[in-house]
Amino acid sequence: MTYRLHNFFRSSTSTRLRAALNHKGLAYDYVPYVLRDGETRTPDYLAMNPQGLVPTLERDDGAFMMQSLAIIEWLDETHPEPPLLPADPDGRARVRALAYMIACEIHPLNNLRVLFRLRDQFGADEEAQKDWFTHWVTTTFDALETALASSDRTGTCCHGDTPTLADICLYAQVWNNRRFGIALDSWPTIARIYAGLDKLPAFAAAAPPEQPDAG
Amino acid sequence: MTYRLHNFFRSSTSTRLRAALNHKGLAYDYVPYVLRDGETRTPDYLAMNPQGLVPTLERDDGAFMMQSLAIIEWLDETHPEPPLLPADPDGRARVRALAYMIACEIHPLNNLRVLFRLRDQFGADEEAQKDWFTHWVTTTFDALETALASSDRTGTCCHGDTPTLADICLYAQVWNNRRFGIALDSWPTIARIYAGLDKLPAFAAAAPPEQPDAG
């Protein structure tokens, strides 16, 4: 199987999928899109992904996959080593819950189309958008810090000492936070885990500045 | 194992988990919270669930589980019959993608704390909140309708003829839409699937009006 990754360097969900592909040792062709220019709203793109969102993973059997977390679960099922979820159900539930704290409570509120909507419906300027963005990061990172710092299952990574789906979401979100200059000082466990992940080649190579379309 | 479900009748994520528990034939004690009164922001609740969100599933082994989709995956792993995900990886990826379209692109933007934030930060009145809510439902339901109507894997349910995680999210979201009176006329496939689900006792019993705390 070969892969084409339709994505955007700064997109947090694209960063997640790049880290997962790298972690599994899977090569892919990189196909960039400029979100601000509507390049994912064309008929051709919508035929691949009816939401008009990145990323889309195109497979050489003709399938187009959407929704980063669904694709990562599929990668973990079809390419089990190295794993991105623990083997035990309780561990899997913990890792998924940590991942969804970010994927369901921060990212959906802070992506580009939401910031555009705030501008269009409420006249939110850059400062108001930053307040909004920071509010949702802070609300969930406070809870995530508590969840991580209070559990003996937290290791050098979110769950033990090897990266999981939770680390993938954490790493991508910390990169996304830089858009509005949010520092990690209030969240020492998150900061420690992020710093460790950023030393792993699979993660570092997925970071936005490393991509061919980085401005 | 016995369960206590800490939840709120109108919460969409609570509806999801009730439907999943019912579908698996698992009984639970119902513990209601009034979100508007801050009952999930108390120290006791935050000790169970650091996000202060519903639902929380309490197990008799002392574990507290959070994030509805993580709990439902756990239920499916520990109580496999009847399944809530297909057996094949491609089917599982499709069901998860459909579920995440709702869980990552609609619900996070439209829950109560977000509507409160719109009111507090931008002065959004009920009408502006309705516009916001309706915008995100419409954006994703348009794409979901396309994804469902264009696939031969769609059956009486989102994927084949038995309920999956995607149906659980769809059913809960359609209930949530009623908060602002959103009709399903524009989305005939979603409407058809919803109507079928509403005839299943496991789903119908999970609906908000059926709960003990329904006002």
Side-chain angles (χ1 to χ4, degrees):
Chain A
M1 186 82 79
T2 63
Y3 300 102
R4 282 163 62 87
L5 178 60
H6 302 267
N7 79 139
F8 174 56
F9 76 104
R10 195 183 276 138
S11 145
S12 175
T13 52
S14 298
T15 302
R16 287 181 202 157
L17 188 47
R18 293 191 299 259
L21 287 162
N22 294 345
H23 183 73
K24 297 288 185 182
L26 300 171
Y28 53 89
D29 292 331
Y30 189 102
V31 188
Y33 293 79
V34 180
L35 303 190
R36 280 183 186 272
D37 293 349
E39 291 183 358
T40 61
R41 306 294 312 165
T42 64
D44 281 355
Y45 193 87
L46 290 169
M48 295 196 296
N49 182 321
Q51 290 195 280
L53 298 175
V54 285
T56 300
L57 188 67
E58 179 182 356
R59 304 183 339 206
D60 62 8
D61 64 0
F64 296 100
M65 305 186 74
M66 61 179 179
Q67 286 291 336
S68 62
L69 296 183
I71 302 170
I72 295 171
E73 292 265 3
W74 179 86
L75 287 172
D76 208 46
E77 292 176 356
T78 56
H79 302 82
E81 295 298 331
L84 281 169
L85 286 168
D88 63 305
D90 275 338
R92 296 163 72 86
R94 179 170 181 265
V95 165
R96 288 192 178 109
L98 296 172
Y100 301 159
M101 286 175 74
I102 295 168
C104 296
E105 317 289 354
I106 302 177
H107 176 264
L109 290 153
N110 285 353
N111 65 27
L112 203 58
R113 67 179 184 172
V114 175
L115 301 181
F116 284 173
R117 177 75 189 182
L118 290 173
R119 180 195 64 196
D120 295 343
Q121 186 175 351
F122 299 109
D125 60 13
E126 181 81 3
E127 196 60 29
Q129 291 176 32
K130 180 181 177 178
D131 286 349
W132 171 273
F133 189 106
T134 305
H135 173 76
W136 298 115
V137 170
T138 302
T139 299
T140 294
F141 266 28
D142 283 353
L144 183 61
E145 176 69 22
T146 299
L148 290 169
S150 65
S151 171
D152 58 11
R153 290 177 291 183
T154 303
T156 59
C157 294
C158 288
H159 193 84
D161 298 328
T162 53
T164 62
L165 182 65
D167 298 287
I168 282 177
C169 291
L170 182 153
Y171 186 76
Q173 185 60 49
V174 170
W175 269 104
N176 209 24
N177 290 353
R178 295 199 174 146
R179 178 184 167 81
F180 287 110
I182 301 174
L184 293 178
D185 305 343
S186 307
W187 308 296
T189 310
I190 293 173
R192 172 178 66 71
I193 291 171
Y194 168 79
L197 295 170
D198 202 41
K199 294 197 176 74
L200 302 176
F203 281 71
E210 304 304 314
Q211 308 316 310
D213 55 336
Chain B
M1 185 83 78
T2 64
Y3 300 102
R4 281 162 64 87
L5 178 61
H6 301 268
N7 79 139
F8 175 57
F9 77 103
R10 195 182 278 136
S11 146
S12 175
T13 51
S14 298
T15 302
R16 286 181 202 158
L17 188 47
R18 292 191 299 258
L21 287 162
N22 294 345
H23 182 75
K24 297 289 186 183
L26 300 170
Y28 53 90
D29 291 332
Y30 189 104
V31 188
Y33 293 80
V34 180
L35 303 190
R36 280 183 186 272
D37 293 350
E39 291 183 358
T40 61
R41 306 294 312 166
T42 64
D44 281 354
Y45 193 86
L46 290 170
M48 294 195 297
N49 181 322
Q51 290 195 280
L53 298 175
V54 285
T56 301
L57 188 67
E58 179 181 354
R59 304 181 341 205
D60 62 7
D61 63 0
F64 297 100
M65 305 186 75
M66 60 180 180
Q67 286 291 336
S68 63
L69 296 183
I71 302 170
I72 295 171
E73 292 265 3
W74 179 86
L75 286 172
D76 208 45
E77 293 176 356
T78 55
H79 302 82
E81 295 299 331
L84 281 168
L85 286 167
D88 63 305
D90 275 337
R92 296 162 73 85
R94 178 171 182 264
V95 165
R96 288 193 178 109
L98 296 171
Y100 300 159
M101 286 175 75
I102 295 168
C104 296
E105 317 290 354
I106 301 177
H107 177 263
L109 290 153
N110 285 352
N111 64 27
L112 203 57
R113 67 178 184 172
V114 175
L115 301 180
F116 283 172
R117 178 74 189 182
L118 290 173
R119 181 195 65 197
D120 296 343
Q121 185 175 353
F122 300 109
D125 60 14
E126 182 80 4
E127 196 60 29
Q129 291 176 32
K130 180 180 177 177
D131 286 350
W132 171 272
F133 190 107
T134 304
H135 173 77
W136 297 114
V137 170
T138 302
T139 299
T140 295
F141 267 27
D142 285 351
L144 183 62
E145 177 69 23
T146 299
L148 290 169
S150 65
S151 171
D152 58 12
R153 290 176 291 183
T154 303
T156 58
C157 294
C158 289
H159 192 85
D161 298 328
T162 54
T164 62
L165 182 65
D167 298 287
I168 283 178
C169 290
L170 182 152
Y171 186 76
Q173 186 59 49
V174 170
W175 269 103
N176 209 24
N177 291 353
R178 296 200 172 144
R179 177 184 168 81
F180 286 110
I182 301 174
L184 294 177
D185 305 342
S186 307
W187 308 296
T189 310
I190 294 173
R192 171 179 67 71
I193 291 170
Y194 169 79
L197 295 170
D198 202 42
K199 293 196 176 75
L200 303 176
F203 281 70
E210 303 305 314
Q211 308 315 309
D213 55 336

